[in-house]
Amino acid sequence: AQSVTQLGSHVSVSEGALVLLRCNYSSSVPPYLFWYVQYPNQGLQLLLKYTTGATLVKGINGFEAEFKKSETSFHLTKPSAHMSDAAEYFCAVRYNFNKFYFGSGTKLNVKP
Amino acid sequence: KAGVTQTPRYLIKTRGQQVTLSCSPISGHRSVSWYQQTPGQGLQFLFEYFSETQRNKGNFPGRFSGRQFSNSRSEMNVSTLELGDSALYLCASSLAASGAQETQYFGPGTRLLVL
């Protein structure tokens, strides 16, 4: 069965430090991969997505993610955290016209 | 272009009642999906509608139902509400024209509290 695993339900970094949020999927068939961000009391906003082509994907707000087929991973990174990055981040996958599978989410805390 | 809108934003019901939530997708989008978000279970897929037909369905009891109208607006209904139905219900729309790589755009959600 397809699934998405996000390692670490809570991640805390200092402002200016590297942000690394981990996402692994379980499938022999590479899916389409997405990262969403959710701010308190709001819906989800797309950060970036991987479909085909270049494995390093750049998104909004300085975030990027790299698709590594050999590791079945799609980790999200940002070189320098900002206070406004504090939110919950969700990794999601989709296969053809099947439903989206979301990870359990990672809450990012940014310390001043 | 206006985003996905959901009404109402907040709702309080009592056990045993039923509730209808509404979602208006982005203009031109033909696919609407519904999700339930709770602290314990995270984001769980309810169902997806495309051109008034249910295309995918999650693992929820039959008390949860939905429909889509010809203008792509969608409603979901929950009958015989239980305390565990308290959640944020999110609607997402997509063009559904080019396949699974399409982005889903989410609305702000309807927060349902069942007492």
Side-chain angles (χ1 to χ4, degrees):
Chain A
Q2 298 92 343
S3 70
V4 183
T5 303
Q6 290 185 239
L7 285 176
S9 58
H10 291 81
V11 170
S12 187
V13 300
S14 298
E15 192 172 20
L18 171 72
V19 175
L20 171 60
L21 305 182
R22 299 178 187 274
C23 172
N24 287 87
Y25 64 91
S26 60
S27 170
S28 58
V29 177
Y32 299 107
L33 297 151
F34 305 78
W35 273 100
Y36 284 87
V37 61
Q38 186 178 33
Y39 297 100
N41 299 314
Q42 294 187 27
L44 277 69
Q45 179 184 4
L46 179 73
L47 275 177
L48 49 81
K49 66 178 181 181
Y50 170 78
T51 55
T52 58
T55 56
L56 182 62
V57 181
K58 294 187 184 299
I60 62 171
N61 301 337
F63 284 93
E64 62 182 35
E66 186 172 11
F67 169 59
K68 292 186 176 181
K69 183 179 177 181
S70 61
E71 299 177 7
T72 61
S73 68
F74 191 56
H75 302 329
L76 181 70
T77 60
K78 182 174 180 178
S80 177
H82 191 271
M83 296 297 292
S84 62
D85 294 328
E88 189 161 18
Y89 293 80
F90 293 91
C91 180
V93 302
R94 193 179 194 190
Y95 304 85
N96 296 317
F97 282 101
N98 208 338
K99 60 188 180 183
F100 271 78
Y101 296 86
F102 280 87
S104 53
T106 298
K107 288 187 177 177
L108 176 66
N109 177 47
V110 181
K111 299 175 291 185
Chain B
K1 194 181 272 191
V4 179
T5 58
Q6 292 186 246
T7 57
R9 290 294 310 278
Y10 303 93
L11 205 49
I12 300 176
K13 292 286 188 179
T14 57
R15 278 181 300 175
Q17 287 186 309
Q18 76 165 21
V19 67
T20 299
L21 311 181
S22 180
C23 172
S24 292
I26 293 172
S27 177
H29 285 194
R30 298 166 62 194
S31 171
V32 173
S33 297
W34 289 90
Y35 297 84
Q36 181 196 65
Q37 186 178 26
T38 59
Q41 299 296 320
L43 269 164
Q44 292 187 285
F45 173 78
L46 281 156
F47 26 66
E48 178 192 8
Y49 285 88
F50 172 71
S51 292
E52 302 178 65
T53 302
Q54 188 179 87
R55 185 158 69 175
N56 283 302
K57 189 178 187 302
N59 298 321
F60 278 81
R63 300 186 296 108
F64 291 82
S65 63
R67 60 178 176 169
Q68 186 180 33
F69 302 95
S70 57
N71 61 358
S72 294
R73 190 178 70 85
S74 177
E75 290 181 345
M76 68 162 281
N77 183 276
V78 188
S79 62
T80 320
L81 284 166
E82 300 177 359
L83 295 179
D85 296 332
S86 296
L88 180 67
Y89 290 87
L90 292 165
C91 167
S93 76
S94 66
L95 278 170
S98 57
Q101 68 271 35
E102 286 185 348
T103 300
Q104 286 195 334
Y105 296 88
F106 283 79
T110 293
R111 187 165 295 280
L112 172 65
L113 176 61
V114 182
L115 301 175

